[in-house]
Amino acid sequence: MVIGEWLKRFGVLAALLVLSSCYIPDKFKSELRLSRYGDYSLTFKGDLMWAPILDAYRKGRVTPENEAEKIENIHRDLVRDIAVRTAVSKGKGRFAVEYERTGRLGQVQLVSLLRRDARLLAMRSSENNAIVIHANSLKPSDAQTLAEMGLGMEGEFRITTDGNVVEHNATEVRPFGTARVYIWKIENALSPTPHLVMIRDNDPNRPLPPRASEAP
C-alpha cells in the first residue's frame, strides 16, 4: 500500500480521538498474578499505538522536520509511568513497550495500566472485599471503525489467581496447582473486554491498614 492510500484510510480516525484511552494495544501478552489477599504482579509486553498522531499524519501535521520531536513527546509520555521498563519506537506512533508493576491493593484503591489518564486496565478494590479487574472498553462504533481501518488489536491477557472468583468472561480457564488461569484471546477491537471479579480473603498475619480518613 502506498503512503497516500495508507493516510487516506485514516480519514475516519477523528472518531477514535474520543476514546477514553489514546493508546491502542496490539501484538501483546499481558498477565496479572493476583493472590487471594490482594498482592499483585502485572506485566505487559507488546505494542502500544498513540492514536492522535495517526490523525496528525493524515492531516499533514507530521513532517520530516517535526516527526522526531513528536515521536519523542510520545516516548516521554509513556515513560512518565515508572512501571514502563522500556518503550522503543517502531515508527508511525507505535512503540514496543515492556511494563512491570507489583504491589498489594489497599482497602479501597485503584491501580491502572497505564496511568489513570491513559488507562488500558483497571484493578479496583472496595470495602466489601471485592476486587474488580476490567479492561478499558471501546464503544461498539469505535471498535468497528478500528477494524475497518485495519488497525490491529490482537493479543492475550491472563489472570492467575488462587482467589474466590465470582464473575468473569474469560475465553478459557485452566487449573494451575491450587490456582486457576483465566485467559482472554483478543482477536480484534470487537473482542469481549476482559472482566473479572474476586472476593478477597483477609490475611490474619497482614491486616490491611485503615483508609486515611479512618486512621486515628
Side-chain angles (χ1 to χ4, degrees):
M1 182 181 296
V2 299
I3 294 297
E5 292 174 340
W6 182 87
L7 291 174
K8 186 177 180 181
R9 290 182 63 183
F10 287 91
V12 293
L13 189 69
L16 294 179
L17 301 184
V18 300
L19 298 181
S20 54
S21 172
C22 290
Y23 285 105
I24 302 169
D26 190 25
K27 308 298 181 186
F28 68 90
K29 287 190 175 181
S30 181
E31 181 177 15
L32 170 64
R33 292 180 178 265
L34 180 65
S35 82
R36 67 182 189 269
Y37 300 128
D39 303 280
Y40 68 86
S41 172
L42 177 61
T43 61
F44 174 96
K45 185 174 183 179
D47 290 356
L48 289 179
M49 193 158 39
W50 177 246
I53 199 173
L54 300 178
D55 189 51
Y57 275 109
R58 179 184 69 84
K59 293 178 178 177
R61 294 175 181 167
V62 180
T63 66
E65 292 75 24
N66 67 18
E67 184 175 30
E69 180 183 1
K70 290 184 178 293
I71 295 298
E72 179 56 27
N73 288 341
I74 299 171
H75 179 266
R76 282 200 298 265
D77 182 67
L78 280 168
V79 298
R80 284 170 53 198
D81 190 324
I82 60 174
V84 173
R85 306 305 184 189
T86 61
V88 179
S89 174
K90 299 175 73 173
K92 301 295 184 185
R94 183 185 287 262
F95 282 77
V97 172
E98 293 187 18
Y99 175 103
E100 296 178 8
R101 181 170 182 174
T102 60
R104 184 190 186 202
L105 286 166
Q107 206 173 69
V108 177
Q109 187 177 4
L110 173 64
V111 173
S112 303
L113 166 73
L114 300 159
R115 306 177 312 277
R116 293 189 185 187
D117 61 347
R119 187 184 311 164
L120 298 175
L121 179 79
M123 291 188 291
R124 188 185 299 272
S125 58
S126 59
E127 291 176 328
N128 62 1
N129 280 351
I131 294 177
V132 179
I133 297 96
H134 193 77
N136 192 36
S137 60
L138 303 180
K139 294 189 301 183
S141 58
D142 290 337
Q144 184 62 44
T145 299
L146 268 178
E148 291 173 356
M149 289 165 56
L151 280 177
M153 194 171 171
E154 180 183 351
E156 180 179 292
F157 178 57
R158 295 184 173 211
I159 298 177
T160 301
T161 183
D162 59 353
N164 176 25
V165 173
V166 296
E167 182 179 311
H168 72 86
N169 64 343
T171 309
E172 180 184 354
V173 182
R174 298 177 187 171
F176 184 71
T178 59
R180 290 190 174 189
V181 183
Y182 299 80
I183 304 169
W184 287 261
K185 300 285 189 179
I186 311 299
E187 297 180 351
N188 52 55
L190 298 170
S191 296
T193 300
H195 174 78
L196 181 143
V197 181
M198 183 190 94
I199 304 301
R200 172 173 27 200
D201 290 344
N202 294 317
D203 186 344
N205 298 315
R206 297 182 304 154
L208 288 167
R211 297 176 63 183
S213 60
E214 299 171 349

